[in-house]
Amino acid sequence: MVVRTYEQECEFVKQVDGSSYRIDKGFVDNMNVPGHFYVNEDLKSLLFDELEQYSRQGGGGGNIGGFLPAMKQIANVAALPGIVGRSIALPDVHAGYGFAIGNVAAFDMGNPESVVSPGGVGFDINCGVRLVRTNLFEEDVLPVKEKLCQAVFNHIPVGVGSLGIIPTSSSDLEEALEMGIDWSLREGYAWPEDKEHCEEYGRMLQADPRKVSARAKKRG
């Protein structure tokens, strides 16, 4: 990894117009396409301040909570195999777990090296994608795909105010926030091997439920 000063890092970031910026190749290693992000003045300050702090601390020691700056994450997505066009970040951009939140990218499915990653972002406001491998083939699913989609919709809560099938109290939620997947294991909703396939093995050891507002907890 190349360690650069903040000023050197900024040489790779060019303002295109009043609200958009281009990240040129070379900002991180092996970029296949440029990056591009859209911001207002407030968000611009946050992104550049984040990059400056990262640079001042040696380009590695400045990762707050383990996160790279959003601009670095946009550029890392630009380095993924098979990406086409640009790695684009929308006006809600902020640091995520892999992709930046608000980061979108298209990949050439005709390229056998292209990636498919349902966990690119990782997390934000409890949104997520799960990839499940089954023993079904396309020809098994096509005749019942509409019924299957409806069944998934019926069983997975979506939207504010929707309820899941697992009854939980406020104390259950506190424990789940602190224990992560270990709570699910204790309650019989997961298998031990599930931990091997989760970020942070399903539990962030420094998680503190007190940092989550009462309003957020009420919304689930």
Side-chain angles (χ1 to χ4, degrees):
M1 180 184 70
V2 177
V3 177
R4 291 188 287 255
T5 66
Y6 172 66
E7 291 73 19
Q8 290 171 327
E9 295 279 31
C10 288
E11 291 177 5
F12 290 89
V13 184
K14 308 291 197 315
Q15 185 166 7
V16 177
D17 56 36
S19 60
S20 67
Y21 292 77
R22 185 183 70 248
I23 303 173
D24 289 335
K25 292 182 181 180
F27 187 62
V28 303
D29 292 339
N30 304 315
M31 289 175 65
N32 297 308
V33 297
H36 204 103
F37 60 93
Y38 299 84
V39 288
N40 60 18
E41 285 300 315
D42 290 338
L43 193 53
K44 170 192 168 184
S45 296
L46 289 174
L47 261 62
F48 278 92
D49 288 349
E50 182 181 65
L51 179 64
E52 182 174 12
Q53 181 179 0
Y54 171 83
S55 302
R56 300 287 186 230
Q57 297 186 17
N63 308 0
I64 302 302
F67 302 125
L68 286 171
M71 276 193 257
K72 288 291 183 182
Q73 293 180 330
I74 297 165
N76 281 339
V77 171
L80 290 174
I83 188 171
V84 295
R86 296 171 290 175
S87 170
I88 299 174
L90 303 179
D92 63 339
V93 58
H94 56 283
Y97 200 84
F99 281 46
I101 308 299
N103 196 176
V104 293
F107 296 87
D108 178 8
M109 290 297 98
N111 180 349
E113 300 298 321
S114 291
V115 300
V116 176
S117 176
V121 172
F123 64 88
D124 188 20
I125 52 172
N126 202 29
C127 58
V129 178
R130 173 168 290 184
L131 179 65
V132 179
R133 186 176 66 180
T134 74
N135 59 356
L136 299 174
F137 291 91
E138 183 179 15
E139 56 267 28
D140 300 322
V141 175
L142 283 177
V144 294
K145 65 179 182 179
E146 290 186 8
K147 291 182 179 179
L148 178 61
C149 288
Q150 187 61 51
V152 170
F153 185 82
N154 290 342
H155 288 85
I156 298 177
V158 288
V160 176
S162 58
L163 300 174
I165 62 172
I166 301 174
T168 54
S169 65
S170 58
S171 60
D172 291 328
L173 181 58
E174 292 287 327
E175 290 184 350
L177 285 170
E178 183 173 352
M179 297 174 63
I181 198 173
D182 290 331
W183 182 88
S184 299
L185 282 168
R186 188 190 72 186
E187 300 297 319
Y189 298 123
W191 290 289
E193 56 267 30
D194 289 338
K195 298 181 69 169
E196 300 294 324
H197 303 283
C198 293
E199 296 162 354
E200 304 281 355
Y201 293 99
R203 180 179 185 180
M204 299 186 74
L205 297 179
Q206 296 180 342
D208 183 356
R210 294 173 299 178
K211 303 294 186 182
V212 182
S213 70
R215 182 168 180 257
K217 290 174 182 175
K218 185 177 181 180
R219 294 183 66 184

